[in-house]
Amino acid sequence: MTIIKVFLFTLLFFSLDQILKNWFLESNFYVRLNYGVAFGLFQNNLVVRFIYLMLTIFVVVRVLKETRIRLYALSLLSSALLLGGVLGNWFDYFSRGYAVDPISLGW
């Protein structure tokens, strides 16, 4: 039952991720177009970006499966937020060629 909850919240957060990114793009807010993964790393290497994103998903799912204790609401939401964001960026990379980052740290 817990995995189903994580899956449903992941879909919710993925949807919100895409809606907000589209809104930022259409509203002429300043956004950073990220052609790489974390902080723009591996910009010209699609294979490394794909491996990085899949590895993140694998680690989160593996931790959820290996954890024998009952997941609390914060753990469930944290996992779903992380997975929703990863899937949102993955979708961006393959549909747009870049991820939309509405928050820029300036480095």
Side-chain angles (χ1 to χ4, degrees), residues 5-105:
K5 289 179 185 176
V6 171
F7 177 74
L8 292 174
F9 276 111
T10 298
L11 287 178
L12 172 69
F13 293 136
F14 169 77
S15 300
L16 288 173
D17 178 77
Q18 292 303 303
I19 289 167
L20 287 173
K21 286 178 181 179
N22 287 327
W23 182 74
F24 274 107
L25 287 171
E26 292 172 3
S27 299
N28 293 324
F29 277 96
Y30 173 78
V31 294
R32 183 166 298 242
L33 305 181
N34 186 353
Y35 292 91
V37 290
F39 307 109
L41 298 172
F42 310 114
Q43 291 186 14
N44 297 320
N45 196 331
L46 184 63
V47 174
V48 173
R49 285 188 290 170
F50 178 76
I51 291 170
Y52 179 82
L53 294 171
M54 293 307 294
L55 183 61
T56 304
I57 292 171
F58 173 77
V59 168
V60 172
V61 171
R62 179 80 180 196
V63 167
L64 287 172
K65 287 178 88 175
E66 292 295 321
T67 305
R68 298 289 179 211
I69 61 172
R70 183 180 164 152
L71 291 177
Y72 295 99
L74 185 58
S75 300
L76 185 142
L77 290 176
S78 300
S79 299
L81 273 169
L82 180 62
L83 288 172
V86 167
L87 292 174
N89 284 353
W90 191 53
F91 181 81
D92 286 349
Y93 290 135
F94 290 105
S95 65
R96 294 184 173 112
Y98 55 85
V100 177
D101 290 336
I103 299 172
S104 175
L105 299 177

